[in-house]
Amino acid sequence: MIPGVSKPAYLATKNAEHPDVAEVAALDRYIDTFVWGGLQRTTQEAYAYGLYGIPDWKQNRESSDPGPKGRLHIWRPYDYPHIFAMYLAMHRIARDHPAIPTRQSARDYLVRAYGTALAMFTVPMRVVMWSAYRTGFYNECVIPELVSALTTAGLTREAATLEAHWARKVRAFVDPKADLFKSEYPFDSTAFESTQALARSALDDPVAMGVSKAAARAFSERQIAANLFCRGWLEPAYYYLGSDYRHTAGDAYTLTYMAQMGGWALLDHALNDADDPHPLLRLGYASQLSAWALLNSGPASAGHGYWYPGEENDGAAGGGFEPAPSGTTWLGQPHHRGTWYYSCEIDLGFCGAVRAAATIVADDPIFGQVCHGGIMETFAHTLRIWPRDGVRRRLNVRLQSLRLDLVLLDARFRADRPIILNLGAGWISLTPEPFAPSGSGVSFELRYDDGRKRKEVIDITDSQLVVRLPAARLPRVQVR
């Protein structure tokens, strides 16, 4: 089922950043005609928000078996995160992009996201005693964002309920006896995005998660070591560097969904936790980019794509890469070196790539001053940075003289205007592109050196504006 639900999860995640009217309408149509009351049980049914698994929801709903092999085949927790990630992204579209029509309100999407996330922890347990607390699921890393959105929307009881379930999962993984490689199969790398998200929660708020600081740090190091243990970092081939490895290492099936999902984890750890961030910045960004190599796309002059030429294949993506000269797919068909010819759940990787997308400026000890995900020019103490990461909302600076994180919350950086960072005078100049064309302000989060993140709002009614930030050593932020 996951290959099917991964695609709308990615499409919604992408549209929360760059909405397209036709694509959002397609997502709403999918929700109304396929998900609600079909794939997903409604609030008028028992086991509300439950999700049907294989062979498909129609056969399960119409089954003569009233139990878990038929009409209650709603017990596979792996399926739930992709649907609540989709609902959460639809909430963001309705909340942040008022010019984009949606069939439901931002609050309605948020309530469904909450109901589906809660069902992941409760419904499989009620039906077949399958606990969601001890296995890492892809896309569940959005739960802290969902809790925050519920709180902001005034749904504080729901936020507290979901956070309690998430905290229970944090405690289960912080336990030194937790199996970080556990999945449906003996080894299937489904966890290394969520383990970093769990570690992030444990490190950022150990009291709320019910763990000690020492235990949180130990778990953080243990889980990032597990991520690196099964990831290509030595050989620079594009289908190895940054890719996750399964039980065959680099001999088969590389560039899977966990290449990019685990890449988000590496970057989050590098930017927030590592004493020396630079090796993981290099590897994490290679991971974030890696599986985009599977995308089959290009101009007509190049046959609409390298892997499978033809206009009908333009925009498709393979589900992984086969490094061996020949082999067989999971479905038993012969294939050869190159991208797979069916997509399976690679869209999950693209979800992780969107979450990880950022422009990162760093003083790399090997390569010197570099800009991951952007173009940079240096003039004396001034850097001119053009974000090219695709999302254009996040700037991370890791220089010897400056450590800074800037995230635009309701706008993106203009693609045609550089971010100007003046290290000598201590200011940043940027040109925002607000999500709402008529918006009068832009909000952002800023963290300078090792301080706490601060949320600010900039009035952009004037053509130029300088905002002086609270602490004396903070740079100015100028919006043009």
Side-chain angles (χ1 to χ4, degrees):
M1 175 178 157
I2 286 177
V5 296
S6 69
K7 301 181 190 312
Y10 166 62
L11 188 63
T13 300
K14 172 264 175 189
N15 273 273
E17 302 293 347
H18 293 278
D20 177 89
V21 170
E23 292 176 1
V24 173
L27 284 162
D28 264 329
R29 188 164 59 251
Y30 167 76
I31 291 169
D32 286 353
T33 62
F34 186 85
V35 176
W36 197 244
L39 175 70
Q40 184 169 42
R41 293 169 79 95
T42 71
T43 51
Q44 304 303 312
E45 299 177 89
Y47 301 100
Y49 297 102
L51 289 168
Y52 283 99
I54 58 172
D56 60 66
W57 63 262
K58 190 173 190 301
Q59 291 187 61
N60 285 324
R61 279 185 175 274
E62 296 175 354
S63 173
S64 60
D65 183 347
K69 293 184 179 180
R71 296 199 296 274
L72 286 184
H73 196 305
I74 51 176
W75 41 260
R76 187 173 183 266
Y78 288 87
D79 300 330
Y80 286 74
H82 318 305
I83 298 300
F84 65 69
M86 175 191 69
Y87 283 137
L88 178 59
M90 293 297 290
H91 161 74
R92 290 178 55 201
I93 294 167
R95 180 194 67 191
D96 298 338
H97 303 278
I100 303 297
T102 57
R103 294 189 182 183
Q104 298 181 46
S105 68
R107 187 182 181 91
D108 288 341
Y109 292 123
L110 186 61
V111 168
R112 287 197 187 178
Y114 163 73
T116 308
L118 182 62
M120 180 186 77
F121 289 110
T122 58
V123 169
M125 194 68 180
R126 289 171 60 194
V127 175
V128 293
M129 296 297 291
W130 189 343
S131 170
Y133 299 108
R134 296 189 175 275
T135 306
F137 306 131
Y138 19 47
N139 267 339
E140 72 172 338
C141 66
V142 303
I143 286 180
E145 180 188 353
L146 175 53
V147 170
S148 177
L150 289 165
T151 302
T152 300
L155 298 171
T156 53
R157 184 180 65 179
E158 290 82 354
T161 298
L162 186 57
E163 185 175 50
H165 285 283
W166 181 249
R168 180 176 172 182
K169 187 159 191 170
V170 169
R171 293 192 294 274
F173 271 80
V174 168
D175 185 338
K177 298 187 293 294
D179 182 357
L180 304 184
F181 299 98
K182 185 178 181 181
S183 189
E184 286 182 301
Y185 297 97
F187 184 83
D188 194 6
S189 53
T190 59
F192 299 126
E193 183 186 50
S194 60
T195 55
Q196 178 62 28
L198 293 162
R200 176 87 283 117
S201 295
L203 290 166
D204 287 352
D205 199 347
V207 174
M209 295 298 108
V211 299
S212 69
K213 291 182 179 179
R217 285 193 297 269
F219 166 60
S220 175
E221 295 302 320
R222 190 166 64 251
Q223 64 86 27
I224 207 68
N227 187 326
L228 292 167
F229 166 79
C230 54
R231 187 165 299 271
W233 59 269
L234 181 61
E235 297 186 62
Y238 70 90
Y239 48 86
Y240 286 148
L241 185 63
S243 174
D244 65 316
Y245 282 175
R246 304 300 179 96
H247 65 286
T248 54
D251 292 340
Y253 189 29
T254 61
L255 299 183
T256 85
Y257 50 82
M258 195 48 63
Q260 291 170 304
M261 290 183 134
W264 168 84
L266 293 180
L267 288 174
D268 186 77
H269 183 86
L271 291 168
N272 295 288
D273 309 319
D275 293 332
D276 178 7
H278 301 291
L280 289 185
L281 287 179
R282 291 193 297 268
L283 183 60
Y285 221 95
S287 297
Q288 190 269 349
L289 293 173
S290 62
W292 289 121
L294 304 174
L295 194 66
N296 190 80
S297 186
S301 60
H304 297 284
Y306 174 80
W307 299 113
Y308 298 99
E311 188 174 2
E312 69 278 9
N313 297 319
D314 189 9
F321 189 90
E322 177 52 57
S326 62
T328 57
T329 70
W330 288 347
L331 302 179
Q333 306 112 325
H335 66 167
H336 53 79
R337 180 178 289 123
T339 185
W340 288 13
Y341 51 80
Y342 56 90
S343 64
C344 54
E345 58 265 80
I346 193 59
D347 307 83
L348 301 180
F350 297 161
C351 289
V354 171
R355 284 190 283 267
T359 299
I360 304 174
V361 177
D363 279 333
D364 190 281
I366 297 175
F367 298 104
Q369 203 165 86
V370 298
C371 182
H372 302 283
I375 300 170
M376 183 173 66
E377 296 177 350
T378 304
F379 304 94
H381 297 293
T382 300
L383 307 180
R384 293 166 61 87
I385 306 157
W386 285 267
R388 293 291 187 268
D389 59 80
V391 172
R392 306 199 317 270
R393 287 199 301 113
R394 293 178 278 265
L395 173 68
N396 305 105
V397 179
R398 294 296 182 271
L399 301 176
Q400 292 180 2
S401 60
L402 177 67
R403 177 186 174 99
L404 180 144
D405 300 299
L406 174 65
V407 182
L408 299 184
L409 301 177
D410 49 15
R412 62 182 70 90
F413 303 118
R414 280 273 297 270
D416 59 344
R417 302 282 184 87
I419 301 168
I420 300 175
L421 175 57
N422 189 312
L423 297 172
W427 53 263
I428 307 169
S429 170
L430 60 94
T431 306
E433 183 182 285
F435 290 161
S438 61
S440 60
V442 169
S443 56
F444 65 91
E445 285 183 347
L446 179 72
R447 182 174 64 177
Y448 183 78
D449 285 341
D450 292 318
R452 295 182 62 84
K453 291 181 181 178
R454 284 172 292 279
K455 187 176 293 186
E456 305 285 343
V457 178
I458 305 173
D459 186 352
I460 59 170
T461 55
D462 297 328
S463 58
Q464 288 191 344
L465 193 72
V466 175
V467 175
R468 297 185 181 276
L469 299 172
R473 294 188 63 235
L474 288 176
R476 299 197 312 273
V477 175
Q478 175 187 356
V479 177
R480 296 180 290 137

